[in-house]
Amino acid sequence: GAGVSQSPSNKVTEKGKDVELRCDPISGHTALYWYRQSLGQGLEFLIYFQGNSAPDKSGLPSDRFSAERTGGSVSTLTIQRTQQEDSAVYLCASSLAGALGGSQETQYFGPGTRLLVL
Amino acid sequence: AQTVTQSQPEMSVQEAETVTLSCTYDTSESDYYLFWYKQPPSRQMILVIRQEAYKQQNATENRFSVNFQKAAKSFSLKISDSQLGDAAMYFCAYFIIQGAQKLVFGQGTRLTINP
């Protein structure tokens, strides 16, 4: 089946503009994660969705960042009033969380969105 | 703090040789999973191998194997018979089963394969 998809692949925006990044997880995966990867760095956790539970937003760096997940599937990460330090690759992952004995802890990643804020 | 340390920013190996990438981590939890992911220039994070902390047997996946030392909190990746397609950034990560549902990543090791 299809893997995790993300759009756009690349996004260039001007400082102060809002951007929306989209993630379409693997069908049937109930857990969805957003990570940020700054140049030459490892991945930094942003937010986690699991089913209908309240999301874990503990990794969001500021209140300019928000995310939603509609219908338990597609997710959108929104960055308002973008700053140059927001430039990074934003990666989405999904997993089959919740299944007893399942590989819920294995996260499968999308190709990412490279965001450049000028 | 929960951290992952990859002490080798860059490594290189001759094609067909064996290379080992090191990883240490720090957690007070006893129940967790460990992962190695590969990230080629395409940016796609690809799962290489996974280890459950409760298992003493080291995981193996074809040419990839790990040396998991739980007491030392060490989780190294061995790549045998290196191939040009193995060139990538390699990230070590762990996942706490009863904790925050997130992967904690190291800074990565860039692996170059010399023909």
Side-chain angles (χ1 to χ4, degrees):
Chain A
V4 178
S5 61
Q6 291 186 245
S7 61
S9 178
N10 295 282
K11 176 72 176 178
V12 181
T13 191
E14 294 179 349
K15 178 182 173 181
K17 297 287 181 100
D18 297 352
V19 295
E20 286 189 351
L21 313 180
R22 176 188 167 104
C23 172
D24 203 338
I26 293 172
S27 177
H29 280 195
T30 57
L32 187 148
Y33 310 78
W34 284 97
Y35 294 87
R36 178 170 69 174
Q37 185 177 25
S38 300
L39 185 63
Q41 301 296 311
L43 277 69
E44 169 192 17
F45 168 77
L46 295 177
I47 190 169
Y48 159 64
F49 295 91
Q50 167 52 30
N52 295 321
S53 302
D56 176 357
K57 304 179 182 180
S58 61
L60 294 179
S62 78
D63 58 9
R64 295 186 296 105
F65 287 72
S66 63
E68 63 177 17
R69 189 178 184 192
T70 54
S73 182
V74 172
S75 176
T76 302
L77 176 69
T78 301
I79 308 173
Q80 295 179 310
R81 305 180 302 280
T82 52
Q83 302 295 312
Q84 290 182 332
E85 60 262 30
D86 298 335
S87 297
V89 174
Y90 290 83
L91 289 155
C92 174
S94 70
S95 72
L96 190 62
L100 184 63
S103 57
Q104 62 186 68
E105 69 294 333
T106 298
Q107 296 178 23
Y108 297 90
F109 284 80
T113 294
R114 183 181 299 279
L115 174 66
L116 177 61
V117 182
L118 300 176
Chain B
Q2 297 176 337
T3 60
V4 178
T5 302
Q6 294 179 246
S7 59
Q8 307 150 315
E10 295 184 356
M11 291 281 285
S12 63
V13 64
Q14 289 296 125
E15 191 176 4
E17 297 293 310
T18 295
V19 63
T20 298
L21 308 183
S22 66
C23 172
T24 58
Y25 58 94
D26 185 16
T27 178
S28 57
E29 299 291 330
S30 60
D31 205 7
Y32 50 89
Y33 293 88
L34 294 160
F35 301 87
W36 279 97
Y37 280 90
K38 165 185 175 181
Q39 188 180 41
S42 67
R43 295 200 308 251
Q44 182 86 48
M45 293 286 282
I46 302 166
L47 177 66
V48 174
I49 200 165
R50 181 186 97 172
Q51 173 81 43
E52 292 86 347
Y54 64 84
K55 289 186 177 179
Q56 293 185 339
Q57 185 174 6
N58 290 322
T60 299
E61 196 72 41
N62 299 318
R63 298 183 294 106
F64 299 87
S65 62
V66 299
N67 183 3
F68 173 46
Q69 302 289 328
K70 190 172 185 179
K73 297 181 181 177
S74 171
F75 183 61
S76 61
L77 174 69
K78 185 171 81 170
I79 306 174
S80 304
D81 185 25
S82 299
Q83 301 176 0
L84 295 178
D86 295 334
M89 283 289 288
Y90 285 81
F91 292 95
C92 176
Y94 72 75
F95 180 94
I96 305 298
I97 295 173
Q98 296 299 332
Q101 299 293 307
K102 63 180 181 181
L103 285 167
V104 177
F105 285 87
Q107 296 299 299
T109 296
R110 181 175 303 281
L111 178 64
T112 302
I113 311 295
N114 300 314

